[in-house]
Amino acid sequence: MSEKQDRTTRYQEGSLTLPGTVMLGTGVMIGAGIFALTGQMAQMTGVLFPLAFLAAAVIVGFSAYSYIKISNAYPSAGGIGMYLHKAYGNRLPTAFNALLMYFSMVIAQSFLARTFGSYTMQLFGGDESGRMVPILGVSLILAAFLVNLLGNRMIQGVASFIGILKIGGILVFGLVGVWIADSISVDFATPGEAGTLGNFLGATALGILAFKGFTTITNSGSEVKDPHRNVGRAIVISIAACVVIYTLVGFAVASNLSLAEIIETRDYSLAAAARPALGDYGVWFTVAIAMMATAGGILASIFAVSRMLAMLTEMKLVPHSHFGMPGTIQKHTLVYTVVLGLVLTAFFDLSRIAALGIVFYLIMDIAIHWGVLRYLRADVKASAWVPATAIVLDMLALGGFVWVKLNTDPFVIGVAVATMAVIAIAEQVFLTRTARTRETEHDGTHVQHHQ
């Protein structure tokens, strides 16, 4: 097989319906958000964590505008990678920010995988050894990898089936939890640092991580039926559904657990909240829903992120090696994505995985809005004030989150900065070499033409 053939992405146009696309988006959003972030947000901002979810929804609402406008104009299976290329061209900002998005999505897979392990182990009394959570997470990623090898229709079918079950189950949990609770209230006995603006902004940033799965929809662009209309519709529907679900479940958890209990059980707070409301049966039910939600989220995330990396490879914005593997570029990027996710799942805990993900994502998100504001506004018919507002809100959330982490876990911020520096330097070297190669090939062709 020739090099040109190896780089063919072979997307299946029209293979994803609007409902299937929505399920892929909500699969990532719900799986990553409500099950593991609830406790972490409560730890950061105290009793105000349900309001932090709503604040995150407002920020994401402004952010979604730019993605919808670009996707309506330029639907592409490359999604965010192509959007960045439209704004910044074949330059470092495109490659750097696209890779930030790539890594944030791989991090989301690891976050989901460890959440799966944390909830599953509640059926067996927890994981005192600390070994079973990563083992279960790794096993789930490998299972999702096998499903992704089976093609779009299988992925859509499995994701849709899981999506319907988990959304229905989470709604049941939220409604029953609020109904059984004495009141829809929270425990103010331990307010912690709830009054600190920086902590609230930091929790809001974590809440954004719970919504960012809508961006995976953009990576399915050219494979969606009627993409100029349905990509934007799928984004709006996914965000709206998650706002309702997160708000309901947030108040259900706050009504059945004290703040101290939410923080103590932060890796599996929904299961803990089900016990006083519904007993052991409630715990089993919640764990089953969590297992389905995280499994569906990983399935959808691997599907989307491997396609984005394939598009970047096809555009020659990132280096690529086959490592002797057969098949198309999509199969190769699928393998790379899964291997990186396995490493993160095995060696990083939930809080640090989430921290890296939100820093990378918000920086990339700001770059998208600036690209619309500075370069694409006329082409995509966007109003200037919406992306400008999105940039300000993103910067506030990112600033609050970094401030909190610098005071509580500076190591993770150091890792984020070091990783971004490595990405920037490596990409600059790669793009410079690629440009020189193209010039050499062009000069050689020019000489041959005149001989």
Side-chain angles (χ1 to χ4, degrees), residues 162-424:
I162 292 175
I164 292 170
L165 289 178
K166 76 178 179 183
I167 290 173
I170 292 172
L171 285 173
V172 169
F173 168 86
L175 290 170
V176 173
V178 170
W179 180 265
I180 293 178
D182 293 333
S183 62
I184 304 177
S185 60
V186 292
D187 177 16
F188 286 91
T190 312
E193 296 181 309
T196 304
L197 179 61
N199 283 71
F200 183 80
L201 290 173
T204 299
L206 279 176
I208 292 172
L209 190 64
F211 286 98
K212 85 176 189 70
F214 83 85
T215 59
T216 62
I217 295 172
T218 67
N219 296 92
S220 306
S222 63
E223 297 180 290
V224 179
K225 293 181 179 179
D226 192 8
H228 293 280
R229 299 175 61 191
N230 283 339
V231 173
R233 288 178 176 178
I235 290 173
V236 172
I237 294 171
S238 297
I239 292 174
C242 287
V243 169
V244 174
I245 292 170
Y246 289 170
T247 302
L248 183 63
V249 174
F251 280 107
V253 171
S255 300
N256 287 282
L257 293 177
S258 68
L259 177 60
E261 289 171 331
I262 295 172
I263 294 173
E264 183 181 356
T265 61
R266 59 185 176 274
D267 289 346
Y268 51 92
S269 54
L270 264 67
R275 190 178 300 278
L278 302 170
D280 288 340
Y281 292 109
V283 174
W284 299 338
F285 174 78
T286 305
V287 169
I289 297 300
M291 291 169 67
M292 287 189 291
T294 50
I298 287 181
L299 181 66
S301 180
I302 290 176
F303 173 83
V305 72
S306 62
R307 276 151 177 74
M308 188 185 78
L309 185 60
M311 178 63 75
L312 293 174
T313 304
E314 187 180 59
M315 294 160 63
K316 297 185 179 180
L317 288 173
V318 296
H320 178 76
S321 175
H322 299 323
F323 293 110
M325 291 185 294
T328 65
I329 191 69
Q330 283 186 359
K331 294 296 189 295
H332 302 162
T333 56
L334 183 63
V335 172
Y336 307 154
T337 299
V338 167
V339 169
L340 184 55
L342 292 174
V343 172
L344 289 172
T345 301
F347 297 107
F348 280 74
D349 63 28
L350 277 174
S351 62
R352 284 180 165 172
I353 289 173
L356 288 172
I358 195 58
V359 170
F360 291 169
Y361 173 74
L362 285 175
I363 291 174
M364 182 284 306
D365 197 53
I366 291 170
I368 287 283
H369 302 314
W370 177 250
V372 171
L373 193 63
R374 178 68 176 83
Y375 302 108
L376 299 177
R377 185 158 57 92
D379 294 340
V380 302
K381 298 181 174 62
S383 299
W385 72 273
V386 182
T389 302
I391 290 174
V392 172
L393 293 175
D394 276 353
M395 292 179 69
L396 284 172
L398 179 60
F401 184 78
V402 171
W403 175 256
V404 171
K405 285 298 178 181
L406 284 175
N407 285 279
T408 59
D409 189 11
F411 173 77
V412 76
I413 299 300
V415 171
V417 172
T419 301
M420 289 187 289
V422 170
I423 292 172

Side-chain angles (χ1 to χ4, degrees), residues 60-95:
V60 171
F62 279 97
S63 291
Y65 177 85
S66 295
Y67 295 88
I68 292 171
K69 284 294 184 179
I70 305 174
S71 65
N72 287 343
Y74 310 113
S76 166
I80 289 170
M82 181 59 74
Y83 298 169
L84 289 165
H85 190 265
K86 289 289 184 183
Y88 299 103
N90 198 35
R91 298 186 297 124
L92 180 61
T94 298

Side-chain angles (χ1 to χ4, degrees), residues 42-64:
Q43 185 178 28
M44 189 170 289
T45 197
V47 295
L48 300 181
F49 78 90
L51 299 181
F53 269 122
L54 293 177
V58 171
I59 295 177
V60 171
F62 279 97
S63 291

